[in-house]
Amino acid sequence: ALVKRLLKANGLDEEHFKPRDVAWYISAQKDAGLRPPAVEAWDEHTRQLVEIYRLYEAQCQREGVVDFGELLLRSHELLARNEALLEHYRARFRHILVDEFQDTNRLQFDWLRRLAGGGSAVFAVGDDDQSVYSFRGAEVANMRDFERAFDARTVIKLEQNYRSHGNILAAANALIRNNRDRLGKELWTSESAGEPIRLYEAMSDAEEAAYVVDEARALRAAAVPLSE
């Protein structure tokens, strides 16, 4: 809503500067730890985006509000500029656990590195094959850089799967190994191969739900126990 107000107040066309795209752009700069003066502009369009970012930041300051990226950026700046405060929290948190590490951005990675810089033990849990939030600034490269940045002593790969049968895992492994820059793992199970995989492409969520219901009804009519 704020971006829309700023665009209208400055006579900018929402066709050329879509509010959602502008909000993502601003968020991406914050994720990279960049305030407006530090953002490079290579053309007129980018220069205008930087100016919108500046106006957005000034308006947020006037209204006394922050977005999620601002919370991260201010925390990072505070730790970077206040050595006494940084040492206080380094001493307070001697053991740090990070879950869903594949979804962290570079700002969070540096924030964590500063916080753990006093010799804290860091335990990170993540799956590079489940990194799907790059459009929100997530950097799967953080997982590759973790071992070097934190001098990791141990890497434990959890490859045994307890949820799926062999055919599903074989298909998943065949697909995911085509991804670039993977750390590498091979899922396996002690269960049987299970039923062959069937593929159904629904045109909508309602059609998908109807398919599942029809399948359940057919199995029930075939006297398959509902518990199965």
Side-chain angles (χ1 to χ4, degrees), residues 164-174 189 191-198:
S164 304
H165 285 83
N167 284 332
I168 293 175
L169 295 183
N173 286 327
T189 180
E191 299 292 330
S192 63
E195 296 180 23
I197 292 175
R198 289 183 293 156

Side-chain angles (χ1 to χ4, degrees), residues 131-144:
S131 181
V132 295
Y133 290 108
S134 59
F135 68 94
R136 286 201 331 219
E139 287 275 358
V140 69
N142 288 350
M143 292 196 67
R144 292 199 311 271

Side-chain angles (χ1 to χ4, degrees), residues 1 15 24 28 39 43 47 50 55 58 84 86 93 96-97 116 124 133 140 144 147 155 161 167 173-175 206:
E15 286 297 315
W24 280 346
V39 180
D43 53 39
R47 279 191 287 274
V50 175
L55 294 170
L86 176 61
F93 299 114
I96 302 172
L97 166 65
Y133 290 108
V140 69
R144 292 199 311 271
E147 293 180 64
V155 176
N161 185 287
N167 284 332
N173 286 327
L175 285 171

Side-chain angles (χ1 to χ4, degrees), residues 29 33-41 50 53:
Q29 305 316 308
L34 300 175
R35 294 291 184 189
V39 180
E40 292 189 43
V50 175
Y53 179 18

Side-chain angles (χ1 to χ4, degrees), residues 76-89 114:
H76 178 269
E77 290 172 341
L78 190 61
L79 294 176
R81 297 169 181 171
N82 193 318
E83 189 68 25
L85 191 68
L86 176 61
E87 290 302 324
H88 167 77
Y89 282 108
R114 288 179 184 277

Side-chain angles (χ1 to χ4, degrees), residues 2-54:
L2 175 54
V3 170
K4 285 184 176 181
R5 294 208 315 267
L6 288 173
L7 293 175
K8 185 176 181 179
N10 290 274
L12 297 171
D13 186 0
E14 287 192 18
E15 286 297 315
H16 292 91
F17 297 95
K18 292 181 171 57
R20 178 175 293 183
D21 292 345
V22 172
W24 280 346
Y25 174 82
I26 293 172
S27 180
Q29 305 316 308
K30 293 187 179 186
D31 288 345
L34 300 175
R35 294 291 184 189
V39 180
E40 292 189 43
W42 302 102
D43 53 39
E44 184 58 34
H45 183 76
T46 309
R47 279 191 287 274
Q48 192 66 69
L49 284 173
V50 175
E51 176 61 13
I52 297 171
Y53 179 18
R54 187 190 68 78

Side-chain angles (χ1 to χ4, degrees), residues 140-205:
V140 69
N142 288 350
M143 292 196 67
R144 292 199 311 271
D145 295 341
F146 179 84
E147 293 180 64
R148 174 180 50 79
F150 294 94
D151 191 23
R153 299 288 193 273
T154 308
V155 176
I156 303 170
K157 293 185 179 182
L158 304 179
E159 297 178 300
Q160 184 174 5
N161 185 287
Y162 299 91
R163 180 181 296 173
S164 304
H165 285 83
N167 284 332
I168 293 175
L169 295 183
N173 286 327
L175 285 171
I176 205 71
R177 71 169 57 103
N178 293 297
N179 279 7
R180 298 186 302 272
D181 301 324
R182 294 179 67 225
L183 296 180
K185 63 178 177 299
E186 195 76 9
L187 300 178
W188 63 276
T189 180
S190 59
E191 299 292 330
S192 63
E195 296 180 23
I197 292 175
R198 289 183 293 156
L199 180 64
Y200 174 75
E201 183 176 3
M203 300 304 293
S204 68
D205 53 353

Side-chain angles (χ1 to χ4, degrees), residues 199-217:
L199 180 64
Y200 174 75
E201 183 176 3
M203 300 304 293
S204 68
D205 53 353
E207 186 179 319
E208 179 184 353
Y211 170 78
V212 173
V213 170
D214 290 343
E215 286 289 299
R217 284 174 172 163

